[in-house]
Amino acid sequence: NECVQRIAGEELHRSTAAVECARRILLRLRQEADAFSAKERLNVVVGSDSNERCARRFAMLDLQLHTDAARAVAKSDSITRDATYTPGVSIAGPLTPIERIGVEGGLQHVLGPFLAMPISVASADAAAPALIDMIEKALSQTKSNTLRFA
């Protein structure tokens, strides 16, 4: 999200142009990983890490190496106030869960079909029909074959 914000000037949830920018970045990373894999005969894949510690680590490194650029896009952890980035290919913004699944799923597809698509469930009391509908839409709107509920 922050990489796209730096390049395209807006966050992922703001426009289809920003989502397309993210797709091009991920596609290039995947192409480079595939080329390296072929050259070295080693299976290298591009993944999406939703670990917040990893997002904070990258933000801190960028702040040290690219202070002004990172300062312009880095977020702040609401509890620790540590600099952080949006983890993985997730989108921070006012989207419905189904909209988020569509956009994030499209980006995750570039990374590969075996990457788990994270699905956020707002309430433990969510009705079964609503959950089933969300699962069906997630599987039909994305190329992911694995869902991970959070």
Side-chain angles (χ1 to χ4, degrees), residues 27-41:
L27 184 58
R28 177 60 188 262
L29 289 171
R30 184 163 181 191
Q31 290 168 342
E32 292 296 325
D34 290 347
F36 186 82
S37 293
K39 179 182 172 192
E40 299 297 327
R41 296 186 311 148

Side-chain angles (χ1 to χ4, degrees), residues 6-141:
R6 178 72 181 146
I7 294 170
E10 58 189 347
E11 294 185 71
L12 280 170
H13 69 276
R14 299 282 181 196
S15 72
T16 55
V19 172
E20 179 57 25
C21 178
R23 192 192 69 72
R24 286 192 316 269
I25 292 167
L26 293 172
L27 184 58
R28 177 60 188 262
L29 289 171
R30 184 163 181 191
Q31 290 168 342
E32 292 296 325
D34 290 347
F36 186 82
S37 293
K39 179 182 172 192
E40 299 297 327
R41 296 186 311 148
L42 177 70
N43 189 23
V44 176
V45 296
V46 178
S48 171
D49 192 338
S50 59
N51 185 319
E52 292 180 12
R53 285 179 42 208
C54 183
R56 282 194 300 271
R57 189 175 324 123
F58 276 118
M60 292 303 296
L61 285 170
D62 283 351
L63 283 167
Q64 291 171 10
L65 300 172
H66 312 285
T67 306
D68 292 338
R71 189 177 287 137
V73 296
K75 309 296 186 274
S76 176
D77 184 282
S78 61
I79 296 171
T80 66
R81 300 292 182 218
D82 290 339
T84 191
Y85 286 147
T86 306
V89 293
S90 58
I91 296 176
L95 299 178
T96 68
I98 296 302
E99 291 170 331
R100 184 177 312 278
I101 287 168
V103 174
E104 291 178 3
L107 295 175
Q108 301 233 5
H109 170 63
V110 175
L111 299 177
F114 303 108
L115 191 63
M117 175 69 200
I119 306 290
S120 294
V121 179
S123 169
D125 299 327
L131 288 174
I132 291 169
D133 184 52
M134 186 180 299
I135 291 168
E136 288 174 345
K137 286 181 179 173
L139 292 173
S140 68
Q141 291 181 12

